[in-house]
Amino acid sequence: MNKQKATKKQISITEGSIWKSMLTYFFALLLGAFFQQLYNTVDAVIVGRAVSSDALAAVGGSSATVVNLFVGFFMGLSTGATVVISQFFGAGRKEEVSKAVHTAIAVAIIGGAIITVIGFGSASWIIKAMKTPPETVEASTLYLRIFFLGMIPNLVYNMGAGILRAIGDSRRPLIVLIISCFVNIFLDVLFVIALGMGKRGDVSGVTGVAVATVLCQLLSAVIVCGILMRSTDSYRLDIRKIRLDRGMLSRIISIGLPAAFQSTMYTFSNILIQSSINEFGKDTAAAWAAYGKIDVVFWMTMNSLGTSAMTFVGQNFGAGKMDRVRKCVREAFAIALIITIPMSILIILGRSLLLGIFVNTDAVIEIGDQMIRFLAPFYVTYIGIEIFSCTLRGMGDALIPMIITLSGVCILRVGWVLVAFPIVRTVQTVEWSYPITWITTSLLFFIYYMYYTKKKKIR
């Protein structure tokens, strides 16, 4: 009976209509990403409106970029576990699935501990090295240190949710996110408003939202581990079996490490962008932070679709159904286009209203308005990067996608900022680094994808 119930929670990936199953899976991921982002957005709204725009810059500026650097590396590494588990699960190899699950959780615990130590110790130096405006240095550093203290539960939750999604279950991770989101909202209001931490200044207000976030990450980790431990299927988690299996770790790293390095370099280039933005002062830094909270709607949509494509390709590739692999890619692209174009238009048309949610300073809103009008029309040029890189990883190829991203996004973006920005020191010069690298990298991925599928005879 329990096994029958468990199977109903999983979406059919290797059989039936691809686009219907992919949409169901994708919308669950997207809704989950929405709730995950919602409590980050609530943090931004509360500090931006109930504390100050300086506090918003502390939470959403340099500190957020640094968090993305460390977490992004691990999430890239965890992609290896997701791909390996989805391939073994699609092939029905239960023993390998179990080994991969316990190795993945061990990686999360060890990786979380390492990131906590490195991040906590280097927080102050990193924040200053990024040329963070003096008004936000103290609050940014404190937010970063508190966030790093919750890194183990953060990574355990994300790895556990990734395991569930790898086997086709996107519903239960969504439920966990909804619970943690509402708990986070309650704690934000309790700490910052009800207990008056926001009235005591930027540092106190930022402390309140940081502690609320860490507590919610701990809650999410406990719930998702409970789900895995109660399972009766091959992905069941047994605390006593959590250890690093050498063979499985090697498989996970071979796929995950290039993705981790890719994510790290991508974020590193964004750190350089953030440093350039910081040179224009606190209003521009606050506008960039506010724009980032709006911009993230597009990114979480593409990330959810990319994860869907990777999982569908991974399971069908593992099951040897190559005709469905190619069809997964085509249908993921169609969904991406149908979503991206209207989303870009809506963000542009509602830009003033959206910016007003986070800030109430006219100067900041004016700067953010320009950022949206410039960047949102180019979102469609990014689609190829997400879909092609994720589907190639789903088939087990992570090295070349890393090289393509490293060349087309990271090196080109860094080169643009280092060469063009000193010549024309404007915000728009910095902004141009995005569409230039998106277009270039999408073309590179298209060429390689056509070569790879022809070589592997995936038709």
Side-chain angles (χ1 to χ4, degrees), residues 18 40 50 95 101 120 153 184 192 321 334 371 375 392 397 453:
I18 292 175
N40 292 332
E95 186 177 343
V101 165
F120 190 90
N184 187 80
V192 179
K321 299 184 177 182
M371 292 172 176
L375 289 169
L392 286 164
D397 184 2
T453 51

Side-chain angles (χ1 to χ4, degrees), residues 71 73 75 126 137 152 159 170 199 206 228 232 239 242 263 276 309 315 334 373-374 378 421 457:
V71 176
F73 177 84
M75 293 309 294
I126 293 173
V137 167
I152 292 178
M159 185 65 86
S170 56
K199 295 179 180 179
V206 166
L228 292 172
T232 57
I239 299 294
I242 296 177
S263 176
S276 301
Q315 282 206 27
R373 283 187 289 108
F374 183 89
F378 289 105
F421 183 62
K457 297 180 180 178

Side-chain angles (χ1 to χ4, degrees), residues 84 88 96 99-100 103 245-253:
V84 168
F88 282 139
E96 284 84 353
K99 285 182 182 179
T103 299
D245 179 89
R246 285 189 179 182
M248 199 58 66
L249 180 62
S250 176
R251 291 182 71 108
I252 290 172
I253 288 178

Side-chain angles (χ1 to χ4, degrees), residues 9-13 18-32 82 86 161-171 173-174 303-312 315:
K9 294 167 186 170
Q10 296 159 210
I11 292 170
S12 176
I13 291 178
I18 292 175
W19 71 268
K20 288 181 181 179
S21 296
M22 186 177 287
L23 276 178
T24 302
Y25 187 90
F26 161 68
F27 279 122
L29 285 184
L30 182 59
L31 196 55
T82 301
S86 65
I163 291 168
L164 290 172
R165 291 169 186 143
I167 57 94
D169 181 0
S170 56
R171 186 176 70 87
L174 169 61
N303 182 258
S304 297
L305 187 55
T307 301
S308 302
M310 185 176 69
T311 303
F312 273 64
Q315 282 206 27

Side-chain angles (χ1 to χ4, degrees), residues 29 41 48 53 70 95 108 119 134 168 172 209 234 284 288 353 367 378-379 385 443 453 457:
L29 285 184
T41 302
S53 60
F70 283 90
E95 186 177 343
R172 286 183 290 183
V209 295
S234 56
T284 304
W288 189 253
L353 180 64
I367 297 169
F378 289 105
Y379 285 159
I385 300 175
L443 288 173
T453 51
K457 297 180 180 178

Side-chain angles (χ1 to χ4, degrees), residues 3 6 14 18 56 62 77 86 90 100 111 171 182 214 219 234 253 268 295 300 311 319-320 327 398 445 451 454:
K3 195 164 185 177
T14 56
I18 292 175
L56 171 62
S62 298
L77 189 61
S86 65
R171 186 176 70 87
F182 284 109
V214 169
L219 175 65
S234 56
I253 288 178
F268 176 76
D295 179 61
M300 70 183 188
T311 303
K327 197 173 180 183
F445 264 116
Y451 163 78
K454 185 177 180 180

Side-chain angles (χ1 to χ4, degrees), residues 98-415:
S98 180
K99 285 182 182 179
V101 165
H102 291 94
T103 299
I105 296 296
V107 169
I109 295 170
I110 296 169
I114 293 172
I115 293 176
T116 297
V117 173
I118 295 175
F120 190 90
S122 61
S124 178
W125 176 82
I126 293 173
I127 290 296
K128 291 176 182 176
M130 290 180 66
K131 303 176 185 177
T132 303
E135 299 90 342
T136 66
V137 167
E138 185 181 359
S140 296
T141 303
L142 182 60
Y143 180 84
L144 204 54
R145 282 178 170 161
I146 294 173
F147 193 94
F148 278 123
L149 290 176
M151 196 53 65
I152 292 178
N154 184 331
L155 301 191
V156 168
Y157 161 73
N158 280 291
M159 185 65 86
I163 291 168
L164 290 172
R165 291 169 186 143
I167 57 94
D169 181 0
S170 56
R171 186 176 70 87
R172 286 183 290 183
L174 169 61
I175 293 172
V176 177
L177 278 172
I178 292 173
I179 293 171
S180 64
C181 175
F182 284 109
V183 171
N184 187 80
I185 293 173
F186 169 77
L187 292 176
D188 275 346
V189 173
L190 175 66
F191 293 152
V192 179
I193 298 175
L195 297 180
M197 294 180 72
K199 295 179 180 179
R200 297 172 199 159
D202 293 351
V203 173
S204 180
V206 166
T207 299
V209 295
V211 171
T213 299
V214 169
L215 290 175
C216 288
Q217 289 168 347
L218 179 60
L219 175 65
S220 299
V222 170
I223 296 174
V224 82
C225 285
I227 291 171
L228 292 172
M229 290 169 68
R230 293 182 62 187
S231 171
T232 57
D233 211 328
S234 56
Y235 58 91
R236 180 178 181 273
L237 176 65
D238 185 340
I239 299 294
R240 296 167 298 181
K241 293 182 180 179
I242 296 177
R243 62 178 61 88
L244 296 175
D245 179 89
R246 285 189 179 182
M248 199 58 66
L249 180 62
S250 176
R251 291 182 71 108
I252 290 172
I253 288 178
S254 67
I255 298 173
L257 192 58
F261 186 64
Q262 171 183 318
S263 176
T264 301
M265 295 306 297
Y266 203 113
T267 308
F268 176 76
S269 67
N270 287 336
I271 287 177
L272 184 61
I273 297 290
Q274 182 69 55
S275 299
S276 301
I277 290 292
N278 287 343
E279 290 189 27
F280 293 99
K282 66 177 185 178
D283 282 351
T284 304
W288 189 253
Y291 165 67
K293 296 301 179 184
I294 299 167
D295 179 61
V296 79
V297 174
F298 170 72
W299 296 110
M300 70 183 188
T301 301
M302 287 299 102
N303 182 258
S304 297
L305 187 55
T307 301
S308 302
M310 185 176 69
T311 303
F312 273 64
V313 167
Q315 282 206 27
N316 283 289
F317 188 82
K321 299 184 177 182
M322 300 306 167
D323 57 324
R324 289 178 64 85
V325 168
R326 192 71 178 259
K327 197 173 180 183
C328 286
V329 180
R330 291 197 302 268
E331 297 191 6
F333 248 106
I335 294 169
L337 283 170
I338 291 170
I339 291 173
T340 300
I341 294 172
M343 180 186 292
S344 302
I345 294 171
L346 287 173
I347 289 176
I348 294 168
L349 294 177
R351 60 189 183 275
S352 297
L353 180 64
L354 293 170
L355 287 165
I357 295 173
F358 302 99
V359 290
N360 53 13
T361 306
D362 290 341
V364 175
I365 291 176
E366 185 179 350
I367 297 169
D369 183 277
Q370 183 277 327
M371 292 172 176
I372 291 176
R373 283 187 289 108
F374 183 89
L375 289 169
F378 289 105
Y379 285 159
V380 70
T381 65
Y382 176 79
I383 292 173
I385 300 175
E386 188 69 33
I387 302 300
F388 285 135
S389 63
C390 287
T391 53
L392 286 164
R393 282 200 296 270
M395 290 183 279
D397 184 2
L399 181 60
I400 301 301
M402 179 203 73
I403 294 172
I404 292 174
T405 303
L406 181 63
S407 304
V409 173
C410 305
I411 295 176
L412 183 56
R413 184 171 297 174
V414 169

